[in-house]
């Protein structure tokens, strides 16, 4: 069982944060105690772990030890890559330009409330907002292979989606719609146009990770016949000397 230092999260949340990985399926309290003791000795203040939902016994060990469940993440696969039926004359779909950044940052600052970080009661909400601001900035400046936007003429950018593109598929990093323009079909438009772009580029699948509680996204995944490929419980532990 290992603890991987999370540099980005540690800098954002101003504490040493780590991710527990490579835990055995026969995990017991004694081994978990040794790992947490080691983390404490190494200066960690926050530990995060993702446990597949079918690893019920392992999940219960983390919960019994004192980890808190903050999120259940679903990874959807959209294999109906045509993206048809998503025309919307209100929006235009295009690639990110540098002068879009201010609007994109403004959207990111207010868009995320159901995620694992805002659900973690030990993390400051303003720092959680800042986390997504810095993430999307990084996406726009090379962390993502593509950032695509939805634009309304005269209003500018009202939504975005970042993509990491593989050999035959793409994975969404971040996506959001300006809260003032929700309910107009913008998110469905973004997904549909992205699927069309991927099909033209020879890709066969789009992966989209979301939270179990994010009903609007779940409904959109259903519109495109998305299915859950895997899911994880996300748990955390604050540790102090």
């Amino acid at each position: 069982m290992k603890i991987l230092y999370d540099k980005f999260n540690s800098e954002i949340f101003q504490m040493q944060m780590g991710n527990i990985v490579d835990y055995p399926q026969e995990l017991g309290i004694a081994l978990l105690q040794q790992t947490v003791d080691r983390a404490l000795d190494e200066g960690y203040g926050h530990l995060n772990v993702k446990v597949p939902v079918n690893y019920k016994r392992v999940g219960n060990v983390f919960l019994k030890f004192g980890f808190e469940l903050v999120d259940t993440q679903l990874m959807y696969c959209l294999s109906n890559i045509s993206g048809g039926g998503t025309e919307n004359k209100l929006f235009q779909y295009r690639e990110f330009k540098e002068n879009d950044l201010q609007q994109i940052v403004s959207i990111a600052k207010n868009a995320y409330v159901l995620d694992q970080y805002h659900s973690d009661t030990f993390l400051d909400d303003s720092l959680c907002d800042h986390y997504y601001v810095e993430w999307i900035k990084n996406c726009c400046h090379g962390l993502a292979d593509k950032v695509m936007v939805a634009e309304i003429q005269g209003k500018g950018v009202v939504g975005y989606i970042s993509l990491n593109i593989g050999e035959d598929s793409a994975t969404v990093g971040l996506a959001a719609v300006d809260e003032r323009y929700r309910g107009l079909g913008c998110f469905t438009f973004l997904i549909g146009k992205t699927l069309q772009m991927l099909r033209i580029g020879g890709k066969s699948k789009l992966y989209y990770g979301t939270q179990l509680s994010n009903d609007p996204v779940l409904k959109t995944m259903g519109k495109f016949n998305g299915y859950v490929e895997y899911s994880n419980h996300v748990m955390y532990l604050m540790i102090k000397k």
Side-chain angles (χ1 to χ4, degrees), residues 128-141:
C128 296
D129 296 338
H130 183 57
Y131 171 90
Y132 288 101
V133 167
E134 293 303 309
W135 186 0
I136 194 58
K137 282 182 181 178
N138 290 343
C139 287
C140 290
H141 293 147

Side-chain angles (χ1 to χ4, degrees), residues 52-231:
V53 295
N54 57 322
Y55 284 20
K56 293 180 176 65
R57 197 196 67 80
V58 173
N60 284 325
V61 171
F62 280 105
L63 290 172
K64 184 177 180 180
F65 187 88
F67 280 72
E68 292 192 30
L69 176 66
V70 292
D71 202 0
T72 299
Q73 296 179 337
L74 311 176
M75 180 58 77
Y76 274 89
C77 178
L78 306 181
S79 56
N80 177 15
I81 208 75
S82 66
T86 59
E87 294 303 319
N88 190 320
K89 294 181 179 179
L90 183 61
F91 307 106
Q92 291 81 47
Y93 181 82
R94 62 168 175 81
E95 197 158 2
F96 160 80
K97 299 176 183 177
E98 188 61 36
N99 59 6
D100 299 327
L101 187 61
Q102 185 175 350
Q103 286 184 294
I104 286 176
V105 164
S106 179
I107 294 169
K109 187 175 181 180
N110 299 293
Y112 303 99
V113 294
L114 299 175
D115 58 286
Q116 70 178 83
Y117 301 105
H118 285 90
S119 299
D120 186 333
T121 57
F122 285 95
L123 301 179
D124 184 273
D125 279 347
S126 65
L127 294 180
C128 296
D129 296 338
H130 183 57
Y131 171 90
Y132 288 101
V133 167
E134 293 303 309
W135 186 0
I136 194 58
K137 282 182 181 178
N138 290 343
C139 287
C140 290
H141 293 147
L143 180 64
D145 295 317
K146 276 186 180 292
V147 177
M148 307 300 296
V149 303
E151 180 181 44
I152 296 178
Q153 188 172 4
K155 302 291 185 181
V157 173
V158 298
Y160 62 78
I161 186 169
S162 75
L163 300 164
N164 293 313
I165 299 175
E167 185 174 338
D168 63 355
S169 66
T171 301
V172 176
L174 283 176
V177 173
D178 189 319
E179 58 187 351
R180 296 172 295 176
Y181 298 97
R182 292 174 188 166
L184 302 176
C186 184
F187 182 66
T188 299
F189 172 81
L190 276 169
I191 296 296
K193 287 297 186 182
T194 297
L195 291 172
Q196 289 179 349
M197 178 184 70
L198 292 174
R199 176 180 55 79
I200 292 169
K203 311 303 178 188
S204 62
K205 294 179 181 179
L206 176 66
Y207 291 97
Y208 193 107
T210 190
Q211 293 79 32
L212 182 60
S213 57
N214 196 334
D215 290 338
V217 172
L218 301 187
K219 289 177 182 177
T220 301
M221 295 298 104
K223 289 179 184 177
F224 292 98
N225 298 316
Y227 60 90
V228 177
E229 188 147 301
Y230 62 86
S231 58

